Amino acid sequence: MTRNETRTLETRLAQIGVGRDERTGAISFPIYPSATYRHPAVGQSTGYDYTRSGNPTREVLEEGLATLEGGARACVFSSGMAALTTLFLHFAAGDHLIVSEDLYGGTYRVLDQVFAKLGLAVSYVDTTRLDAIESAVTAATRAILIETPGNPLLGVADIAAIADLCRRRNLLFIVDNTFLTPVLQRPLELGADVVVHSATKYLGGHNDLCSGVLVARDPQLGERLYFLQNATGAVLPPQDCWLLIRSLKTLALRMERHCRSAIEVARWLRRQPKVTVVYYPGLEDHPGHELSRRQTSGFGGMLSFRVESPELARQVLEKLQLISFAESLGGVESLMTLPAVQTHADIPEAERRRLGVCESLLRLSVGIESVPDIIADLEQALA
Ligand SMILES: *Cc1c(COP(=O)(O)O)cnc(C)c1O
């Protein structure tokens, strides 16, 4: 075990890239914008040939992300959707995937409107229920993709139990870890094969960067993902790799604050007469609460809640002053969205209604502003 592996996650986050630029000793690892690299001689390479295939700044970021998730290899992409698209290109026409029904709308859209045409079949199931997953498996099933907690209803899936099922059925197990990050949940250690992130969210954390990540537990699968990344080319530019490295240094601190604030906001919301339901895994009576306690080290900064009527939901969004009515999540700034008309608009209406993603459901990404200020804004918006 190298010294790095014995260090805590918080330490490794703060230290990403430190000392890696041996020539200068730079604490902040430099941005290498070079598109290409001079070869020392025919048949020789410095280790870098062309920036799509390898870039020093991206390499520091990818190595950092691989160790944080406990994987063999990480690849970073120009968005979360680019990461997912590259991963789906691993499959072939005729393959079948099982995917969480409580899912990011863009993932549904690319599967439904792009990969369906290429012959990839998908079943959307309630992945909080193991029996539902098990009965969706067919001879053509190749993989299971889950989001846990789900989006926007925050249902919790049992990662270790699904990993066990995947081992028995020889399926690839993919976990979208965007909502919790490796600070709170490490799916590869619980038996998943691939972790996906929209790094636009908590990893980036400041609403100023669009990026995606894949991490593979196994070196061979890591090689395959690297092949796909290089072959299809949706890499993250070096400037953004540097910005993401800088963002990761404070990830542990930020997640701690997001968790601490979200539970307070969830408890406050629950006491409001105009709020009919609050979905947050940190609440003791959330159906996934006990499971979350076991498989995560915190409940995250995302919560959803229902208000009395669609009219009230619209009023809240229009009256917000501190919290921004905006898509996305995971940044230091609090954001609120109406999933039915924004992030999940591409999910057919009947399906949305069945899931309970209606127009009185609001999703809140609790930022790092002070809790009394966040609550005061919610209070005046609900009044
Ligand atoms: C935002 C998001 C994505 C897509 O990522 P982009 O960076 O927006 O392309 C995928 N999964 C989840 C859970 C997300 O929240």
Side-chain angles (χ1 to χ4, degrees), residues 200-219:
T200 314
K201 316 296 167 57
Y202 287 102
L203 300 185
H206 296 72
N207 291 312
D208 57 6
L209 167 72
C210 187
S211 168
V213 180
L214 296 177
V215 188
R217 183 161 49 104
D218 164 78

mmCIF file of all heavy atoms in Angstrom, residues 200-219:
data_model
loop_
_atom_site.group_PDB
_atom_site.id
_atom_site.type_symbol
_atom_site.label_atom_id
_atom_site.label_comp_id
_atom_site.label_asym_id
_atom_site.label_seq_id
_atom_site.Cartn_x
_atom_site.Cartn_y
_atom_site.Cartn_z
ATOM 1 N N THR A 200 -20.591 18.356 -13.253
ATOM 2 C CA THR A 200 -21.211 19.688 -13.282
ATOM 3 C C THR A 200 -21.836 20.000 -11.921
ATOM 4 O O THR A 200 -22.001 21.160 -11.564
ATOM 5 C CB THR A 200 -22.335 19.694 -14.355
ATOM 6 O OG1 THR A 200 -21.843 19.080 -15.538
ATOM 7 C CG2 THR A 200 -22.824 21.086 -14.654
ATOM 8 N N LYS A 201 -22.171 18.959 -11.182
ATOM 9 C CA LYS A 201 -22.916 19.105 -9.937
ATOM 10 C C LYS A 201 -21.935 19.240 -8.756
ATOM 11 O O LYS A 201 -21.155 20.161 -8.747
ATOM 12 C CB LYS A 201 -23.884 17.938 -9.778
ATOM 13 C CG LYS A 201 -24.645 17.578 -11.079
ATOM 14 C CD LYS A 201 -25.575 18.691 -11.562
ATOM 15 C CE LYS A 201 -26.073 18.479 -12.997
ATOM 16 N NZ LYS A 201 -26.777 17.231 -13.233
ATOM 17 N N TYR A 202 -21.959 18.298 -7.800
ATOM 18 C CA TYR A 202 -21.148 18.507 -6.593
ATOM 19 C C TYR A 202 -19.642 18.519 -6.835
ATOM 20 O O TYR A 202 -18.916 19.247 -6.172
ATOM 21 C CB TYR A 202 -21.471 17.447 -5.535
ATOM 22 C CG TYR A 202 -22.816 17.668 -4.900
ATOM 23 C CD1 TYR A 202 -23.909 16.902 -5.271
ATOM 24 C CD2 TYR A 202 -23.000 18.668 -3.949
ATOM 25 C CE1 TYR A 202 -25.146 17.105 -4.704
ATOM 26 C CE2 TYR A 202 -24.238 18.884 -3.370
ATOM 27 C CZ TYR A 202 -25.311 18.098 -3.751
ATOM 28 O OH TYR A 202 -26.535 18.313 -3.189
ATOM 29 N N LEU A 203 -19.135 17.686 -7.742
ATOM 30 C CA LEU A 203 -17.682 17.634 -7.918
ATOM 31 C C LEU A 203 -17.162 19.009 -8.334
ATOM 32 O O LEU A 203 -16.188 19.508 -7.785
ATOM 33 C CB LEU A 203 -17.270 16.552 -8.920
ATOM 34 C CG LEU A 203 -17.658 15.106 -8.594
ATOM 35 C CD1 LEU A 203 -17.079 14.140 -9.632
ATOM 36 C CD2 LEU A 203 -17.193 14.685 -7.205
ATOM 37 N N GLY A 204 -17.836 19.616 -9.305
ATOM 38 C CA GLY A 204 -17.493 20.985 -9.705
ATOM 39 C C GLY A 204 -17.922 21.971 -8.627
ATOM 40 O O GLY A 204 -17.129 22.791 -8.172
ATOM 41 N N GLY A 205 -19.179 21.879 -8.251
ATOM 42 C CA GLY A 205 -19.652 22.539 -7.033
ATOM 43 C C GLY A 205 -19.898 24.033 -7.060
ATOM 44 O O GLY A 205 -20.327 24.592 -6.053
ATOM 45 N N HIS A 206 -19.615 24.702 -8.172
ATOM 46 C CA HIS A 206 -19.763 26.159 -8.179
ATOM 47 C C HIS A 206 -20.601 26.670 -9.351
ATOM 48 O O HIS A 206 -20.573 27.864 -9.657
ATOM 49 C CB HIS A 206 -18.389 26.839 -8.207
ATOM 50 C CG HIS A 206 -17.565 26.570 -6.982
ATOM 51 N ND1 HIS A 206 -16.989 25.333 -6.732
ATOM 52 C CD2 HIS A 206 -17.235 27.355 -5.934
ATOM 53 C CE1 HIS A 206 -16.334 25.393 -5.583
ATOM 54 N NE2 HIS A 206 -16.469 26.601 -5.076
ATOM 55 N N ASN A 207 -21.320 25.765 -10.012
ATOM 56 C CA ASN A 207 -22.143 26.162 -11.163
ATOM 57 C C ASN A 207 -21.360 26.951 -12.214
ATOM 58 O O ASN A 207 -21.877 27.886 -12.815
ATOM 59 C CB ASN A 207 -23.372 26.970 -10.684
ATOM 60 C CG ASN A 207 -24.342 26.081 -9.911
ATOM 61 O OD1 ASN A 207 -24.694 24.981 -10.339
ATOM 62 N ND2 ASN A 207 -24.778 26.547 -8.750
ATOM 63 N N ASP A 208 -20.091 26.549 -12.416
ATOM 64 C CA ASP A 208 -19.289 27.267 -13.420
ATOM 65 C C ASP A 208 -18.537 26.305 -14.344
ATOM 66 O O ASP A 208 -17.549 26.677 -14.972
ATOM 67 C CB ASP A 208 -18.293 28.217 -12.723
ATOM 68 C CG ASP A 208 -17.366 27.503 -11.753
ATOM 69 O OD1 ASP A 208 -17.389 26.253 -11.690
ATOM 70 O OD2 ASP A 208 -16.606 28.192 -11.040
ATOM 71 N N LEU A 209 -19.007 25.065 -14.422
ATOM 72 C CA LEU A 209 -18.232 24.045 -15.131
ATOM 73 C C LEU A 209 -19.178 22.927 -15.548
ATOM 74 O O LEU A 209 -20.051 22.531 -14.781
ATOM 75 C CB LEU A 209 -17.183 23.506 -14.137
ATOM 76 C CG LEU A 209 -16.413 22.235 -14.446
ATOM 77 C CD1 LEU A 209 -15.409 22.503 -15.554
ATOM 78 C CD2 LEU A 209 -15.660 21.777 -13.194
ATOM 79 N N CYS A 210 -18.994 22.405 -16.763
ATOM 80 C CA CYS A 210 -19.793 21.270 -17.223
ATOM 81 C C CYS A 210 -18.840 20.110 -17.489
ATOM 82 O O CYS A 210 -17.896 20.249 -18.283
ATOM 83 C CB CYS A 210 -20.545 21.669 -18.489
ATOM 84 S SG CYS A 210 -21.715 20.425 -19.042
ATOM 85 N N SER A 211 -19.067 18.997 -16.814
ATOM 86 C CA SER A 211 -18.134 17.881 -16.950
ATOM 87 C C SER A 211 -18.768 16.571 -16.484
ATOM 88 O O SER A 211 -19.741 16.578 -15.731
ATOM 89 C CB SER A 211 -16.886 18.180 -16.098
ATOM 90 O OG SER A 211 -16.078 17.037 -15.962
ATOM 91 N N GLY A 212 -18.217 15.464 -16.961
ATOM 92 C CA GLY A 212 -18.704 14.145 -16.562
ATOM 93 C C GLY A 212 -17.553 13.194 -16.311
ATOM 94 O O GLY A 212 -16.433 13.423 -16.793
ATOM 95 N N VAL A 213 -17.827 12.147 -15.540
ATOM 96 C CA VAL A 213 -16.770 11.213 -15.129
ATOM 97 C C VAL A 213 -17.284 9.782 -15.230
ATOM 98 O O VAL A 213 -18.436 9.505 -14.891
ATOM 99 C CB VAL A 213 -16.355 11.488 -13.652
ATOM 100 C CG1 VAL A 213 -15.256 10.521 -13.209
ATOM 101 C CG2 VAL A 213 -15.923 12.928 -13.439
ATOM 102 N N LEU A 214 -16.391 8.876 -15.666
ATOM 103 C CA LEU A 214 -16.625 7.434 -15.513
ATOM 104 C C LEU A 214 -15.454 6.884 -14.717
ATOM 105 O O LEU A 214 -14.302 7.248 -14.973
ATOM 106 C CB LEU A 214 -16.649 6.720 -16.872
ATOM 107 C CG LEU A 214 -17.754 7.083 -17.862
ATOM 108 C CD1 LEU A 214 -17.537 6.308 -19.171
ATOM 109 C CD2 LEU A 214 -19.135 6.767 -17.281
ATOM 110 N N VAL A 215 -15.733 6.001 -13.761
ATOM 111 C CA VAL A 215 -14.655 5.323 -13.036
ATOM 112 C C VAL A 215 -14.939 3.829 -13.089
ATOM 113 O O VAL A 215 -16.056 3.395 -12.777
ATOM 114 C CB VAL A 215 -14.562 5.761 -11.550
ATOM 115 C CG1 VAL A 215 -13.306 5.163 -10.904
ATOM 116 C CG2 VAL A 215 -14.556 7.274 -11.403
ATOM 117 N N ALA A 216 -13.942 3.045 -13.474
ATOM 118 C CA ALA A 216 -14.091 1.582 -13.541
ATOM 119 C C ALA A 216 -13.327 0.941 -12.400
ATOM 120 O O ALA A 216 -12.216 1.358 -12.075
ATOM 121 C CB ALA A 216 -13.561 1.059 -14.869
ATOM 122 N N ARG A 217 -13.936 -0.081 -11.792
ATOM 123 C CA ARG A 217 -13.268 -0.783 -10.692
ATOM 124 C C ARG A 217 -12.128 -1.648 -11.225
ATOM 125 O O ARG A 217 -11.053 -1.730 -10.653
ATOM 126 C CB ARG A 217 -14.285 -1.656 -9.953
ATOM 127 C CG ARG A 217 -13.708 -2.382 -8.748
ATOM 128 C CD ARG A 217 -14.811 -2.842 -7.817
ATOM 129 N NE ARG A 217 -15.859 -3.533 -8.566
ATOM 130 C CZ ARG A 217 -16.017 -4.849 -8.582
ATOM 131 N NH1 ARG A 217 -15.234 -5.614 -7.891
ATOM 132 N NH2 ARG A 217 -16.990 -5.391 -9.293
ATOM 133 N N ASP A 218 -12.365 -2.273 -12.378
ATOM 134 C CA ASP A 218 -11.449 -3.264 -12.897
ATOM 135 C C ASP A 218 -10.559 -2.652 -13.990
ATOM 136 O O ASP A 218 -11.044 -1.893 -14.822
ATOM 137 C CB ASP A 218 -12.360 -4.394 -13.444
ATOM 138 C CG ASP A 218 -11.633 -5.330 -14.369
ATOM 139 O OD1 ASP A 218 -10.913 -6.171 -13.849
ATOM 140 O OD2 ASP A 218 -11.783 -5.183 -15.604
ATOM 141 N N PRO A 219 -9.244 -2.955 -13.996
ATOM 142 C CA PRO A 219 -8.334 -2.345 -14.976
ATOM 143 C C PRO A 219 -8.727 -2.631 -16.430
ATOM 144 O O PRO A 219 -8.609 -1.750 -17.286
ATOM 145 C CB PRO A 219 -6.972 -2.972 -14.661
ATOM 146 C CG PRO A 219 -7.090 -3.563 -13.309
ATOM 147 C CD PRO A 219 -8.531 -3.834 -13.051
#
